[in-house]
């Protein structure tokens, strides 16, 4: 039996694209360094600009997912208006 994954659904604060771009390199380095991200990518607004993130983590439990989310450079920079952590089961892909 496979363990559930954790999906982070992050919505940026309006007007904070500069915060996102200024911290993007650090965020991507964090993703690579931690080695627990199964898939990830930005949400896009109607104009194609980044406005949030979907990150799927393969970690042991919710507490570890919460800690990962809190230490994400985007979160530390105050980018997100809200973050939802949802247990997720991969069915396809």
């Amino acid at each position: 039996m496979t363990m559930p994954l954790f999906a982070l659904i992050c919505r940026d604060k309006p007007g904070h694209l500069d915060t996102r771009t200024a911290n993007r390199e650090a965020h991507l380095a964090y993703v690579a360094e931690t080695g627990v991200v199964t898939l990830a990518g930005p949400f896009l607004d109607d104009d194609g600009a980044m406005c949030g993130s979907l990150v799927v983590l393969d970690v042991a439990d919710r507490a570890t997912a919460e800690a990962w989310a809190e230490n994400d450079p985007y979160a530390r920079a105050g980018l997100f208006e809200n973050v939802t952590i949802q247990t997720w089961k991969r069915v396809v892909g």
Side-chain angles (χ1 to χ4, degrees):
M1 179 175 156
T2 60
M3 298 298 293
L5 302 170
F6 294 88
L8 279 59
I9 301 156
C10 311
R11 300 289 181 182
D12 294 0
K13 292 176 182 171
H16 277 67
L17 183 58
D18 289 345
T19 302
R20 174 175 279 276
T21 55
N23 291 279
R24 186 168 172 78
E25 187 174 318
H27 165 74
L28 294 174
Y30 180 66
V31 167
E33 290 166 7
T34 58
V36 297
V37 176
T38 299
L39 62 90
F43 290 118
L44 304 176
D45 65 17
D46 291 341
D47 296 322
M50 295 179 286
C51 63
S53 299
L54 171 64
V55 180
V56 178
L57 302 176
D58 186 356
V59 295
D61 53 39
R62 179 176 296 278
T64 305
E66 290 171 355
W68 191 97
E70 290 169 7
N71 287 301
D72 179 354
Y74 280 161
R76 292 173 56 149
L79 174 61
F80 299 129
E81 182 173 59
N82 60 61
V83 176
T84 301
I85 299 175
Q86 181 68 51
T87 306
W88 183 70
K89 178 182 177 183
R90 181 190 312 258
V91 175
V92 177

